[in-house]
Amino acid sequence: MALQQLENAHSDEQMQECIDNCLEAAQVCEWCADACAGEGEDMARCIRLCRDVADIASLHARFMARNSGYHQELGELCADLCEECAEECEQHDHDHCQACAEVLPKCAESCREMAGA
């Protein structure tokens, strides 16, 4: 297999991993935002960030799936939001918040890699 083909195969694997990470992040953030809605007013920032991540992560996954020329810019934004949301969720003891804090750094890392690709 030629070097270019190997690079493309690796790139496809990275993209699929990032798509999977984005979809997992969107799912856990939807769960967290919904659960936080019943936790009281002090959870407003967590809810907002989780909703933002859910929207951006699912959009980023769709952009990558169709090989949009804009997926890299969106990947940078997704990574930033994932990191900010993970920091917020780490501050709360709820299971749903801790799940976000665990999943989002992996998504942020793969989005950054795709943004730099």
Side-chain angles (χ1 to χ4, degrees):
M1 189 181 267
L3 180 59
Q4 182 65 30
Q5 289 174 319
L6 284 172
E7 288 174 359
N8 288 341
H10 184 69
S11 175
D12 289 345
E13 284 180 25
Q14 282 182 312
M15 186 174 287
Q16 186 58 55
E17 181 180 348
C18 191
I19 289 170
D20 292 344
N21 289 339
C22 283
L23 294 175
E24 182 181 18
Q27 183 179 16
V28 75
C29 282
E30 288 287 0
W31 171 49
C32 188
D34 184 63
C36 283
E39 302 290 348
E41 286 183 36
D42 61 330
M43 300 304 291
R45 185 167 191 273
C46 188
I47 293 168
R48 283 188 196 103
L49 286 169
C50 282
R51 291 179 70 208
D52 286 350
V53 169
D55 288 345
I56 292 300
S58 62
L59 182 62
H60 186 222
R62 291 192 314 270
F63 272 44
M64 285 184 290
R66 65 177 169 242
N67 202 23
S68 168
Y70 295 96
H71 82 82
Q72 290 175 307
E73 290 87 346
L74 197 54
E76 193 68 37
L77 176 61
C78 189
D80 289 345
L81 277 168
C82 283
E83 289 169 351
E84 187 174 348
C85 189
E87 288 176 16
E88 175 65 27
C89 286
E90 283 177 347
Q91 299 176 33
H92 306 290
D93 291 331
H94 310 292
D95 288 345
H96 46 88
C97 290
Q98 291 303 306
C100 275
E102 183 178 321
V103 167
L104 296 181
K106 182 172 64 172
C107 184
E109 181 180 343
S110 62
C111 287
R112 283 219 195 283
E113 287 175 8
M114 291 308 301

